Each structure stands twice: as structure tokens, then as C-alpha cells.
Amino acid sequence: MTDEIPATYAGPQRVLSGVQPSGDLHLGNYLGALVKFARLQHEVPTFIFVADLHAITAWQEPAKLKGQVREIAAAYLATGLDPKVATIFPQSAVPEHTELAWVFNCVARLGWLDRMTQFKDKAGKHKERASVGLYTYPVLQAADILVYKATQVPVGDDQKQHLELTRDIAGKFNHDFAAPGFFPLPEPLTQGPGARIMSLRDGAAKMSKSDPSDNSRINLTDDAETIAQKVRKARTDADPLPELIADLAGRAEALNLIGIYAALEGRTAQDVLTEYAGQGFGAFKPRLADLAVSVMGPIGAEMRRLMADPAEIDRILGDGAERARAVAAPTVAEVRKLVGLWAG
Ligand code: TRP
């Protein structure tokens, strides 16, 4: 059968990405990921899942996990993913991810995983106490992507290394099992106006769910008053806004707020600066607060509406899982044959 596989990947383009159900989603996730998912779904067949298997690499309260999965699904829907267009599903509902991950555990080399900086960051000083799952996390991520033969993966900059590993695994699998074009070598899609949304308290740190200060981020579920208050409290400086982006060098907080404004309105940062040049933050912040409330407020409201009907979310996720399996199962069946495993 291997001679039927072309030398380079010749299958369809597919987009795939996922978000872990561990902690609240915020403006950075919205602008950096969710907006992109909603746009891409109309361009390329798109698979977006909730990464519950990745979440359990760190402890998750069993009684809460399904609720967390539903909340991410609600965020996907509230930010414009259409379950009739995109395939939306929980990772653990498609066992082909874990099956392929095992095979990939046997393809990836220890040396490759030893280089992964996210493991080092997350495991901290006591890596002997981290779960084995945390170590092999990027191998499961490669399986998530390649089980759908995805070609484009919208992710943040911090995931670039995991995408490199994914390409290494795909290349080695194709080589070792004499199947040159079997898996594509997927590319990360990291660009976009929301690529670098920083903390509202520190322009040098990315907006993050693990920041101890809730004022550092705008959560998708924050109400209008909270959003406005966080914008008002955002760290800035006393200088007026300049005319050119280049003149914001060294003013990370100012640059971040301009960037957020631009991303929320789908304009360039320079365009926003041109409008506000010469004005101070006393004038700019209320405008940003209004804009953030007008974009984020309805998303939070829609999430709350969806969360009130968990049965409907489950129906959407169940339907998505079925469609996902229809794509994933044939890949795993072919992998079984290529590897020489028992194919039944
Ligand atoms: N590791 C990703 C993150 O933390 C989440 C993720 C898991 C993912 N599997 C994936 C993203 C596959 C893209 C593709 O952001």
C-alpha cells in the first residue's frame, strides 16, 4: 500500500487547534486565538477541540472538569465558531488522539522532548514530581494535529516549539515507515493583530490566566463594570500619545493598550495612534473601556446564556466528536497497517 502514498503530502488543507479547559479565558485568548478560529472556519475545514487530556497533565478536580470543558465550548460558540461549519469537540471523546499519541511516543526521541521549554517552565524546580503526561504533552499535541492530517495550526508564539516537534515526528514517521507523504508537516499560524496581548499591569508580561492579579487581564466572563474598571486601572504613563508607533518604543504599557484597541476594532495600531495623537490616557482610556465593553460584554452574556443549557452544549460537542472520529479513525487504521500492529 505504501506506493500509493505520494512523496509529499497531497491531501486536503485542514486547520486544527485546541484550548485547555483549565482556568478562565481572557482577552488575549480571544484576540490571539478565538477570533482567528472563527475567521478560518470559512476558509479551510476547521477542527477545534477542548484539550481535556492535556489539562489533566496537572491536577483537575474531577467533579469540575466537564463543566470547564463546556465553558470553553461556550466560549468557542460565543465568539463565532459555528458548529455547522467547524467541527467542535472534546479531545477525550475521540480516543484516536491517545492511540496515535502512543505510536508517536515510540517515534519521538527523548532528546527532542528534553529540549521543550514549556515543560521546563511548567515543571519548575521539581521536575521529578511532574507527571509523565506533562513531559510527553507535546507528543499528544502532535497526535491531536496529525490524526486529522492538519496543515495549519493557529496558536500563540509559545507553541512554535511544539509545532516544530510535530513536524519532526511527522517526518520521522513518514521516513521510518516508508510512507513519504503520509503525514503533512503542519505550519503554525501565529501572526495577527492579537498575537501579543500583554498584561494590563505589566507591559513586559503576556496576559495570562496564571497571573495572580485578576486586574492583569479581562476575562471573557467579566461583566461590563468589571471590564471598564480594569481598563481604568490599567498601568500607563503620564505622556501624551505620539504620532508614530516607533515613538512608543520603551512605553510597553502604552503600546499594549493601543494594540488592544486596534485589535478590538480590526484596525492597525498606527491608524489608532493617528486618531489619538497628542491626547493623554485620561482621554484614551474611557474610549478603550467603551470599546472593550461593547465587544466583550455581549460575548460574556452569550456564554452565560449557553452555559444555562448544558444539554445543548453536550449535543453540539457529541455531534462534533462523531464527525471528528470519522476523520481520525481512518488515519489510525492506516497507521496500524503501516506500523504492523494488529489491525483486526
Ligand atoms: N498546547 C496548546 C496550548 O497550551 C493546546 C493544545 C493542545 C493545542 N493540543 C493542541 C493547540 C493541538 C494546537 C494544536 O495552547
Side-chain angles (χ1 to χ4, degrees):
M1 71 164 281
T2 51
D3 55 10
E4 291 167 21
I5 299 171
T8 50
Y9 181 73
Q13 300 288 304
R14 288 191 185 118
V15 163
L16 173 131
S17 195
V19 172
Q20 289 191 54
S22 49
D24 287 343
L25 291 180
H26 52 70
L27 181 68
N29 303 118
Y30 171 63
L31 293 173
L34 305 185
V35 172
K36 267 195 229 170
F37 300 168
R39 180 169 45 78
L40 285 163
Q41 70 181 335
H42 300 294
E43 297 168 12
V44 183
T46 295
F47 295 74
I48 303 291
F49 66 99
V50 186
D52 53 353
L53 294 168
H54 277 109
I56 62 165
T57 59
W59 175 251
Q60 303 297 327
E61 218 39 78
K64 292 190 184 153
L65 188 54
K66 279 206 201 81
Q68 292 164 208
V69 170
R70 289 186 189 112
E71 185 161 336
I72 302 291
Y76 288 159
L77 298 169
T79 54
L81 271 182
D82 179 348
K84 289 191 225 60
V85 178
T87 305
I88 307 168
F89 59 100
Q91 185 183 28
S92 66
V94 183
E96 283 77 9
H97 290 233
T98 33
E99 185 170 350
L100 185 60
W102 178 257
V103 174
F104 284 175
N105 272 326
C106 302
V107 172
R109 306 289 92 184
L110 271 181
W112 299 359
L113 286 186
D114 279 340
R115 287 197 286 275
M116 296 293 120
T117 55
Q118 184 172 298
F119 174 77
K120 291 179 205 165
D121 291 346
K122 287 199 180 175
K125 279 194 225 98
H126 298 288
K127 83 172 164 72
E128 60 287 349
R129 282 192 224 155
S131 72
V132 174
L134 188 66
Y135 187 70
T136 185
Y137 175 121
V139 176
L140 177 60
Q141 184 164 348
D144 297 334
I145 297 166
L146 293 171
V147 84
Y148 303 100
K149 300 188 179 183
T151 50
Q152 287 129 279
V153 186
V155 280
D157 265 342
D158 61 331
Q159 296 297 307
K160 271 190 180 161
Q161 198 183 34
H162 290 169
L163 263 292
E164 273 163 39
L165 181 90
T166 301
R167 287 197 296 277
D168 288 344
I169 290 174
K172 184 164 163 59
F173 181 97
N174 290 352
H175 173 267
D176 289 358
F177 298 102
F182 183 70
F183 283 123
L185 305 186
E187 290 293 335
L189 301 176
T190 55
Q191 297 309 308
R196 286 196 75 71
I197 301 299
M198 312 307 279
S199 156
L200 298 179
R201 310 294 312 161
D202 174 3
K206 261 185 102 164
M207 187 175 284
S208 162
K209 63 186 167 200
S210 50
D211 191 315
S213 164
D214 195 57
N215 281 330
S216 71
R217 60 185 163 262
I218 296 173
N219 298 308
L220 252 50
T221 48
D222 283 345
D223 59 26
E225 186 43 41
T226 310
I227 296 171
Q229 213 172 65
K230 285 178 176 176
V231 172
R232 279 199 299 272
K233 285 192 183 152
R235 205 168 133 189
T236 45
D237 52 45
D239 295 340
L241 287 163
E243 273 173 24
L244 297 174
I245 285 291
D247 294 328
L248 278 178
R251 296 173 66 186
E253 284 82 14
L255 184 63
N256 186 39
L257 293 191
I258 296 291
I260 290 173
Y261 192 109
L264 282 171
E265 264 200 342
R267 295 161 63 185
T268 66
Q270 180 56 59
D271 193 36
V272 174
L273 255 196
T274 304
E275 182 181 338
Y276 286 97
Q279 305 195 40
F281 283 98
F284 180 76
K285 274 184 171 178
R287 301 284 300 274
L288 177 58
D290 286 349
L291 175 59
V293 167
S294 74
V295 176
M296 306 300 284
I299 293 173
E302 177 65 359
M303 279 180 71
R304 282 186 284 278
R305 190 190 71 77
L306 290 161
M307 289 297 285
D309 188 0
E312 174 63 5
I313 297 182
D314 291 2
R315 195 196 55 71
I316 290 170
L317 290 177
D319 175 62
E322 216 173 286
R323 280 150 55 203
R325 281 199 88 173
V327 179
T331 307
V332 167
E334 287 172 284
V335 164
R336 283 176 162 272
K337 272 195 215 152
L338 286 165
V339 175
L341 295 170
W342 209 260

